[in-house]
Each structure stands twice: as C-alpha cells, then as structure tokens.
Amino acid sequence: IRRYPYAQVHLRARVSHDQGRTWDEQPIILSMGAGYSGSVVLPDDTIITVCGNGPINENGHGPGPWTMQAVRWRLD
C-alpha cells in the first residue's frame, strides 16, 4: 500500500473491536478518490465520515474537480 502518488486511490476504514489492540484484516472502502477525512460515532452507533475527494495523477496532483462528501455508515 502506498499513499501518494497513486492514481487509483480511495478512502478506506479499518475497524478495531478492542480499543485498537487489533484491527480487522479487510478494510471498508468508503470513497473513491483522494482526500483527508475525519469520522465521528453518533449515539445510535452510526459513523459519519467527512472527506475531501478528488482524482489525482501519477505525480500526486489533482486535476480536479475537488468535492466534499459525507458518508454515513454502520458496522454489521
């Protein structure tokens, strides 16, 4: 796995069920494209992840257009 430059990037989440001691092997793909993200867990146990999102080229630069999105998701 490499961070940049990589033209086929996506936002992935990895989940821990034991306060970060171990992590699920399989990541959850939340978004296609590059961008920084932040997440919060709501009282109903849904998770909101907000991120910038856009394509990048092999040099690590985004040709745009850049967008912002929010993903609401829940673990099984």
Side-chain angles (χ1 to χ4, degrees), residues 20-75:
R21 287 188 293 276
T22 61
W23 296 88
D24 286 352
E25 288 288 324
Q26 186 65 36
I28 300 166
I29 297 175
L30 297 174
S31 173
M32 300 303 287
Y36 290 100
S37 63
S39 298
V40 296
V41 179
L42 300 179
D44 67 355
D45 288 331
T46 60
I47 302 164
I48 300 285
T49 300
V50 177
C51 62
N53 190 303
I56 62 171
N57 59 26
E58 290 295 328
N59 295 321
H61 300 287
W66 292 95
T67 62
M68 180 151 185
Q69 68 181 28
V71 180
R72 187 173 182 166
W73 54 292
R74 179 188 306 268
L75 296 173

